[in-house]
Amino acid sequence: VCYTDPDMELSLYDWSALPCRSCRSAEHVPDDLLRLARARTWAEAEPRGIEGHVLQESWGTRAVVPVARALLAGLAGHSLSVQARHRFLDLL
């Protein structure tokens, strides 16, 4: 099941148990995704804490699947700004 609410989707995972390439764990990722989902400008919609942490052009950590599901949940909803929607699509 993929929820249309990113908050609900993000709550399904134990992010502290998922790896991050730059930090001890991916525990920071839900906050980074929610910040991105709430972005209203291009500057706010920068994927800090996601690119280079969970995914990069040629590789991803085990956290990629939960991140992808949260991105899809955000895209399925109607609350994303144009800037956030574009960033979500770029990350996918």
Side-chain angles (χ1 to χ4, degrees):
V1 172
C2 184
Y3 297 96
T4 59
D5 176 7
D7 289 307
M8 176 67 83
E9 189 65 42
L10 291 168
S11 71
L12 298 175
Y13 305 98
D14 178 4
W15 292 92
S16 65
L18 292 170
C20 176
R21 299 287 292 186
S22 302
C23 307
R24 270 192 349 214
S25 75
E27 190 169 21
H28 62 90
V29 172
D31 289 336
D32 294 327
L33 286 169
L34 290 174
R35 178 196 49 79
L36 182 57
R38 294 181 185 116
R40 296 290 176 231
T41 67
W42 288 110
E44 292 171 349
E46 283 298 316
R48 299 180 303 272
I50 301 166
E51 283 189 335
H53 290 256
V54 174
L55 52 100
Q56 199 172 25
E57 273 185 41
S58 61
W59 55 260
T61 67
R62 285 191 340 247
V64 167
V65 172
V67 166
R69 289 179 57 119
L71 293 171
L72 289 170
L75 289 168
H78 301 287
S79 63
L80 295 181
S81 68
V82 170
Q83 295 85 347
R85 188 167 293 280
H86 279 276
R87 292 293 190 201
F88 271 44
L89 288 169
D90 285 343
L91 289 170
L92 278 175

